[in-house]
Amino acid sequence: MGHRPFRVPVKLRVGNSGTYVAGSAWEALEFLERDWPAERDSAYLRACAACRDAVDGFRAPEWARRALENAARAAGLLADRHRS
């Protein structure tokens, strides 16, 4: 298993004012499995599978990043990329 860093980290909303930054497929998978605050729907399940595949080296990390972004966007958890 590898760390599998993303080219661009994914910023996720946590609570009312917090942000979690997933910089790799491993960090994204940890967030998905431990801290995901939304419904665990089909987009969530696809993101988990994509992150596991990336960590195991079966898929590129960017595949996992896109799946995470899609799940976060569907759940209203994707933080604005342009904010600092």
Side-chain angles (χ1 to χ4, degrees):
M1 293 195 318
H3 188 65
R4 308 301 303 233
F6 297 150
R7 276 187 254 139
V8 177
V10 178
K11 293 181 182 178
L12 304 162
R13 288 190 191 117
V14 180
N16 291 331
S17 60
T19 303
Y20 178 84
V21 179
S24 69
W26 178 259
E27 291 172 359
L29 185 58
E30 282 188 327
F31 179 80
L32 286 162
E33 290 181 342
R34 292 188 328 197
D35 300 317
W36 187 255
E39 182 180 347
R40 295 182 177 212
D41 59 7
S42 60
Y44 165 84
L45 295 173
R46 282 191 298 273
C48 287
C51 288
R52 276 190 211 98
D53 284 351
V55 168
D56 290 339
F58 298 123
R59 294 263 189 186
E62 295 310 303
W63 178 271
R65 184 184 56 75
R66 283 190 301 273
L68 175 62
E69 283 184 339
N70 289 339
R73 187 175 295 109
L77 300 174
L78 189 61
D80 184 357
R81 288 185 188 192
H82 302 292
R83 292 182 189 171
S84 53

